[in-house]
Amino acid sequence: MFDQSMEQFVGDPTVNLSLSTLFIVGGLGIMVIADVYKTRNFRFLSLHSKVVLTTSASLLVFGFVALFLLELWNPASNGLSVSERLWAAYFQSATPRSAGFNTVDIGSMLVASQFLIIVLMFIGASSGGTGGGIKTNTFVVLLLAMFNTFRSGNQVHAFKRTIAMETIMRALAVVVSSLAFIIVATLILTVTEGINDVYFLTVLFEVVSAFSTTGLSMGFTDELSTVGKVVIMITMFVGRLGPLALAYALTYQQTVSRASYPKDQVLIG
């Protein structure tokens, strides 16, 4: 009955809202939920809660609008009514935070839409939540640091609070290490599965989905070789434990260097 995930409920408000609410709330994390329940006022929430709620809502709205507009040009969506297209865009913008459900065939979506879902899966849910990815708060910290660099500022601010440089460096380490692993895993699969027979975006989609423990697929999983399946399994374990373990190590295993060197400049950009 559900061999095609939730595609038969593409226009059902009850199914769309109930499922999406569960994995959106789960992706926020218990700390945010408890903070909201305790304060019940956005002004008095912790910086973490404000960042998580704002970023999650922004990504949801951005994904919804972008997917709806992109899929207007997709001939495969001609059979859907306007209402069903709206619900499909909303659900597919929310499901990359590690839900694993889909109400439309991912493989039939436009390449631009598939790539957008890859980006949303890579960002994932929030720290302390049930989802994977690099986490929304990690993403927004680096985004704020980038804007601060463009403005030549010496501090990174959010909601009238200064974000510590140690936090920014941890976020950078998590993102770079995650990207490095995804690149290596994708490279291995393009060799073992044959890049001439499989579209590169399909391979990248499967790797990012595994790394973020989302569970979405473009129908390529069944065609993986034994080596490819092992790579995907390792990717799932690393994706679930890697960034979290790395962040923990960077937080609690800091060592102070005994040597102090003079500062110098390296050209960037």
Side-chain angles (χ1 to χ4, degrees), residues 139-201:
F139 167 73
V140 78
V141 163
L142 286 186
L143 203 62
L144 291 173
M146 180 187 69
F147 291 146
N148 176 76
T149 301
F150 291 158
R151 291 184 295 127
S152 299
N154 56 3
Q155 289 184 337
V156 179
H157 303 281
F159 297 103
K160 297 182 179 180
R161 294 290 187 272
T162 300
I163 299 176
M165 184 57 63
E166 292 80 3
T167 301
I168 299 173
M169 297 306 295
R170 289 189 213 115
L172 181 62
V174 169
V175 172
V176 172
S177 62
S178 298
L179 282 174
F181 187 87
I182 288 174
I183 291 172
V184 172
T186 303
L187 178 61
I188 294 174
L189 284 183
T190 56
V191 174
T192 61
E193 310 308 312
I195 190 60
N196 294 329
D197 301 322
V198 181
Y199 289 114
F200 172 78
L201 188 69

Side-chain angles (χ1 to χ4, degrees), residues 62-126:
F62 169 75
F64 164 68
V65 174
L67 287 176
F68 178 75
L69 294 177
L70 287 172
E71 288 301 304
L72 286 176
W73 308 97
N74 189 355
S77 302
N78 290 338
L80 300 178
S81 64
V82 175
S83 175
E84 289 175 333
R85 290 183 181 220
L86 287 170
W87 281 117
Y90 161 74
F91 195 87
Q92 296 310 134
S93 68
T95 195
R97 65 183 64 250
S98 298
F101 297 109
N102 58 280
T103 55
V104 293
D105 181 15
I106 303 295
S108 67
M109 299 179 75
L110 295 178
V111 172
S113 300
Q114 294 168 348
F115 185 75
L116 177 59
I117 292 177
I118 289 176
V119 174
L120 293 175
M121 288 192 301
F122 180 72
I123 297 173
S126 304

Side-chain angles (χ1 to χ4, degrees), residues 189 193 198 202-203 205-207 209-210 215-226 228-230 232-233 236:
L189 284 183
E193 310 308 312
V198 181
T202 304
V203 177
F205 192 100
E206 298 295 323
V207 171
S209 179
L216 293 176
S217 176
M218 293 173 60
F220 178 56
T221 309
D222 293 339
E223 303 176 11
L224 288 172
S225 64
T226 302
K229 292 177 181 178
V230 171
I232 288 296
M233 287 189 291
M236 287 188 287

